[in-house]
Amino acid sequence: GYQSHMGFFQAIGIEHGNKPGDAAGGENYLPMTSMNVAALRRKADLQGVQRGDVIQRDAERMADRLARTDEGDIFDALSYSLREIMRNVAEHSEAPDVRFCLQHWPTKARVHLALLDCGIGVRRSLERNPHLRIETDLAALRLALRPGISGKMYEGVARDENNRWENSGYGLYLTSRLAAHFGNFWFFSGSSALAMSADRERTEACPFAGTAIRISLDTRKIKRTKGLVAKCVAEGETRAAATPGTSKSASKGSQVG
């Protein structure tokens, strides 16, 4: 019944239960929801803003709903994670839409975020960067979580200085660091899955043509989110500076608040 209500079966092509977006959701959860990338671009154009601004507003609205506040460490962690993984899909996947759902269990101090697309996958996306040599899907997952690694923005590519959201290859790096610090991070694409937590990493065989991300956060551990992001950005820029072909600094949008 729960999966039917959330729209899970319809999302994977089984004619049973609600379709994604049919259920209204509640103060503790957002059911399976679809975000159309073309509609997102049109919305940004109509409002005269950058696409990242629209995504940030949507992420903050969803984080406010789950955290029951529009400020504080839990809100910051949720809004930042949602924003960055949604931006990543819109900028890299070439998928027409992205589907996601969220759940908050206050009595269990646990938040889950899940997102997937049926786009080109991590490996094909990164292979657009001529500086990268990728042998396997698992290698692509590991590369995507390193700072400054991007299939679009790399050494030698012209940058738009007026776009504060221009991709810099730090979104997945920072999101995975936050998730591993506060809980765990699962990353699926191609033939592999990679899981990370504060003290453990594990891999699995998991064929999936697009990309899927699952984040689980222990809300009791979420503290000083802004400070952790700033620390990870500084560490990432140091690592990227020593790596040929990477984006050397995080975008202006890679911050909380």
Side-chain angles (χ1 to χ4, degrees):
Y2 175 77
Q3 289 88 344
S4 298
H5 176 72
M6 291 286 279
F8 170 76
F9 294 107
Q10 292 279 356
I12 61 173
I14 299 174
E15 291 295 326
H16 177 71
N18 286 328
K19 294 180 180 179
D22 280 355
E27 62 180 11
N28 292 336
Y29 76 98
L30 183 71
M32 190 70 73
T33 303
S34 181
M35 179 186 78
N36 183 269
V37 177
L40 175 68
R41 294 192 183 103
R42 289 195 298 271
K43 185 176 180 179
D45 290 341
L46 286 171
Q47 294 180 3
V49 297
Q50 295 172 346
R51 188 167 52 187
D53 295 317
V54 176
I55 292 175
Q56 175 161 304
R57 286 200 290 266
D58 287 345
E60 289 178 346
R61 174 179 52 81
M62 289 184 282
D64 183 5
R65 183 173 181 171
L66 264 69
R68 303 180 187 178
T69 178
D70 60 358
E71 60 183 5
D73 287 310
I74 296 176
F75 171 82
D76 288 341
L78 289 174
S79 61
Y80 185 88
S81 299
L82 279 165
R83 184 189 79 194
E84 290 305 308
I85 56 180
M86 290 166 70
R87 281 183 60 214
N88 192 72
V89 171
E91 293 169 2
H92 297 287
S93 72
E94 298 185 15
D97 54 40
V98 54
R99 288 177 176 173
F100 53 91
C101 58
L102 304 88
Q103 180 86 45
H104 182 197
W105 292 272
T107 58
K108 298 180 180 179
R110 181 65 59 175
V111 174
H112 286 177
L113 320 177
L115 174 146
L116 64 83
D117 68 72
C118 293
I120 62 175
V122 173
R123 184 173 178 178
R124 283 183 58 195
S125 176
L126 290 182
E127 284 177 338
R128 292 179 291 200
N129 184 335
H131 299 282
L132 301 179
R133 296 292 178 266
I134 306 171
E135 300 295 332
T136 65
D137 290 324
L138 180 58
L141 294 180
R142 293 188 190 281
L143 271 173
L145 300 183
R146 288 171 50 185
I149 299 294
S150 170
K152 285 189 173 182
M153 298 308 301
Y154 44 83
E155 191 174 320
V157 172
R159 297 180 177 276
D160 180 1
E161 297 298 330
N162 295 318
N163 184 3
R164 75 187 186 99
W165 298 104
E166 187 168 63
N167 182 268
S168 60
Y170 280 74
L172 283 178
Y173 158 71
L174 290 169
T175 302
S176 64
R177 288 286 302 273
L178 279 179
H181 188 82
F182 296 139
N184 59 68
F185 180 86
W186 276 92
F187 195 18
F188 309 77
S189 188
S191 62
S192 298
L194 176 64
M196 302 170 57
S197 61
D199 56 0
R200 185 183 178 194
E201 177 182 298
R202 94 185 222 222
T203 62
E204 299 280 354
C206 184
F208 182 67
T211 303
I213 292 173
R214 184 262 202 178
I215 295 172
S216 177
L217 305 176
D218 183 341
T219 57
R220 295 167 299 186
K221 294 181 179 179
I222 301 178
K223 298 176 182 178
R224 298 181 290 276
T225 302
K226 293 181 180 179
L228 179 59
V229 169
K231 176 184 176 183
C232 291
V233 167
E235 292 175 353
E237 290 181 339
T238 298
R239 289 177 58 189
T243 306
T246 61
S247 178
K248 304 307 179 186
S249 61
S251 69
K252 296 176 182 177
S254 295
Q255 57 184 340
V256 177

